[in-house]
Amino acid sequence: MSARRVPRPSRPVPAPGQDLARDFRLHVAQTSTGPLGLAIVAARGAWITDASGRRYLDLLAGMGVANLGHGNRAVLRACAAQLRRHLHVMVYGEYVLETQVRLATRLSALAGPPFESCYFTNSGTEAIEGALKTARKFTGRSGLVGFDLGFHGDTFGALSVGGNPVYRDPFLPLLPGSRILPWQDVGALRTIDRTTAAVVIEPVQAEGGVRLADPAFLRALRDRCREVGALLVFDEVVTGLGRTGTLFGFQQSGVKPDLLVLAKALGGGLPLGAFLGSRRILGTLTRNPALAHVTTFGGHPLSCAAALAALNETVERDLPARAARSGALLLRGLESLAARHKAVRAVRGVGMLLALELASPRATRRFAAGCLERGLIVNWTLHRDTVIRLAPPLILSRAEITLALATMDAVLRDL
Ligand SMILES: Cc1ncc(COP(=O)(O)O)c(C=O)c1O
């Protein structure tokens, strides 16, 4: 089009970030009463750039999504190649889609037995939902069990095994037959019985304040589920794909669930969730009736292309080992902050999933705001407003770790 034929805009084109902030508040449904509100224009590696050109070091990685950092080249190349081939072509897993099949095959091989079969979804909560339905149908039972402060997503099924009344109560009644057990109470496991279809647990509770499940508790839970024939479901939406220092969180305790749920980092930045199990268990979705649980977009070829590239990068660059090393360094730094600043009550974590527990919700909010002012993105967990959770990209460099710790030190000094 020649320059003369370009229509004149009826009003001045807003500078990036100008009208956007207003329209964001007016037209994007708000779930947070105090959104961070950064107008994002770019994200590369561990850094995010806003519309004013300011750069922020991202210690959240979109809540544990950007394990490889933002804009990983291999992931972008794989997406570009898939874009040229095809996007969505058919619902309900009717066609053989190369990236989907290759991803399922690779995940099964890496997770090992019994995870032979993989059902893809669009998100973590849908993967939990699918796992719960699979367990109910496979066992012919209705009981669903979750744990205090667990978080599995916000659909009705996932919420029914979520362990925080603050988020459950406004949506009651939830699924009949669902119950919440106390965290790490071996005695309470006796209440899991022959009416229980599934027990859902995060090996490390992320939104619950980065609480690590004791391997002995997980073993007792595994034994009880086996004894009564209930399916054990590990929600590895956060702990999967290298974040805890092994490719899957279950590899730390050696306790294998019947169903393994993945999402977040799985899609390499695109929406994707999955649950894996034996062919015998997942086969329940094929019969009585056929098409017992289906999804139009779950396992989208573009998401699977990104996921396959992200998984290959994670394995080839041994990012789980890197997460273990960098996480240990970060944790040592946090321990030293705790020794110097009274406001820090505790630090804990595993791999690149770490927590800084502060004295009060007010101190926690001021800490997060102070970090943001100094160019560091952190946030508190959904179920514990005194816990700052760090879930940075696994590729964080030593220099970035040093910068993050120095910034937090400065914020704590001013708190
Ligand atoms: C442990 C866990 N499970 C499930 C979910 C739900 O995943 P999604 O937000 O993709 O539905 C989340 C989300 O934060 C999560 O942290």
Side-chain angles (χ1 to χ4, degrees):
M1 195 186 269
S2 79
R4 268 188 310 128
R5 287 167 62 202
V6 174
R8 288 184 55 175
S10 53
R11 57 184 177 138
V13 176
Q18 215 179 359
D19 280 1
L20 274 185
R22 188 203 60 197
D23 292 348
F24 166 69
R25 282 191 304 274
L26 289 177
H27 301 298
V28 179
Q30 302 286 303
T31 50
S32 165
T33 49
L36 289 177
L38 298 179
I40 306 303
V41 294
R44 279 287 176 279
W47 294 86
I48 291 183
T49 308
D50 76 5
S52 72
R54 180 146 193 227
R55 295 172 80 232
Y56 297 83
L57 183 57
D58 183 8
L59 295 193
L60 267 185
M63 304 287 184
V65 169
N67 278 12
L68 304 177
H70 300 282
N72 174 271
R73 278 170 203 270
V75 171
L76 296 183
R77 268 198 308 273
C79 287
Q82 184 58 41
L83 281 172
R84 284 191 295 271
R85 293 176 72 198
H86 63 85
L87 292 176
H88 182 263
V89 280
M90 180 59 162
V91 293
Y92 307 163
E94 292 287 340
Y95 289 169
V96 179
L97 302 175
E98 184 179 347
T99 57
Q100 199 183 78
V101 177
R102 290 199 191 288
L103 178 62
T105 308
R106 189 90 212 271
L107 281 172
S108 297
L110 289 166
F115 307 111
E116 306 158 314
S117 185
C118 179
Y119 185 102
F120 290 115
T121 65
N122 301 286
S123 66
T125 196
E126 281 174 81
I128 290 286
E129 203 72 30
L132 296 179
K133 284 183 68 183
T134 302
R136 273 195 168 179
K137 189 160 179 302
F138 180 76
T139 60
R141 307 167 178 182
S142 62
L144 302 172
V145 172
F147 289 92
D148 177 45
L149 292 194
F151 181 71
H152 306 288
D154 275 336
T155 53
F156 275 106
L159 199 57
S160 298
V161 286
N164 188 345
V166 170
Y167 294 99
R168 292 165 57 93
D169 290 355
F171 301 101
L172 294 175
L174 297 176
L175 289 185
S178 54
R179 282 182 308 126
I180 301 301
L181 296 187
W183 181 242
Q184 309 246 71
D185 179 345
V186 175
L189 299 182
R190 274 199 302 276
T191 64
I192 297 168
D193 60 18
R194 292 184 191 281
T195 65
T196 309
V199 181
V200 187
I201 188 167
E202 298 157 86
V204 181
Q205 282 192 336
E207 299 298 348
V210 187
R211 298 201 295 178
L212 282 69
D214 185 352
F217 177 71
L218 291 176
R219 278 195 293 276
L221 177 60
R222 174 68 281 180
D223 289 347
R224 182 63 185 165
C225 286
R226 198 169 280 133
E227 209 176 308
V228 298
L231 296 194
L232 178 59
V233 182
F234 273 11
D235 179 341
E236 293 228 27
V237 165
V238 173
T239 56
L241 288 317
R243 178 154 298 282
T244 62
T246 47
L247 189 59
F248 302 104
F250 74 77
Q251 291 164 326
Q252 310 250 338
S253 63
V255 174
K256 280 194 177 184
D258 300 295
L259 292 173
L260 172 66
V261 178
L262 303 171
K264 290 208 189 263
L266 176 65
L270 269 72
L272 189 66
F275 58 99
L276 288 87
S278 69
R279 247 171 248 127
R280 197 167 77 89
I281 294 177
L282 265 71
T284 193
L285 301 177
T286 328
R287 296 179 295 275
N288 304 321
L291 302 175
H293 182 77
V294 293
T295 161
T296 294
F297 282 120
H300 192 287
L302 187 61
S303 297
C304 288
L308 189 57
L311 186 59
N312 287 340
E313 282 274 287
T314 303
V315 173
E316 277 155 27
R317 291 166 62 186
D318 202 2
L319 292 185
R322 181 162 173 170
R325 282 194 305 276
S326 300
L329 192 66
L330 202 45
L331 186 58
R332 276 203 299 281
L334 295 179
E335 280 162 358
S336 134
L337 292 182
R340 275 177 292 122
H341 298 285
K342 276 207 306 286
V344 183
R345 291 293 157 88
V347 297
R348 59 180 168 273
V350 58
M352 291 291 249
L353 182 55
L354 300 160
L356 196 73
E357 189 154 353
L358 295 167
S360 67
R362 185 163 171 271
T364 312
R365 282 194 301 275
R366 287 184 55 199
F367 176 79
C371 285
L372 192 65
E373 258 168 44
R374 289 175 167 82
L376 203 63
I377 295 178
V378 302
N379 212 337
W380 55 89
T381 67
L382 189 65
H383 295 338
R384 296 280 304 279
D385 58 5
T386 52
V387 176
I388 293 285
R389 159 256 329 268
L390 306 180
L394 311 187
I395 48 96
L396 212 62
S397 68
R398 259 176 182 268
E400 287 161 347
I401 290 173
T402 306
L403 174 66
L405 289 167
T407 308
M408 287 191 267
D409 194 18
V411 174
L412 286 166
R413 244 182 279 130
D414 290 354
L415 208 62

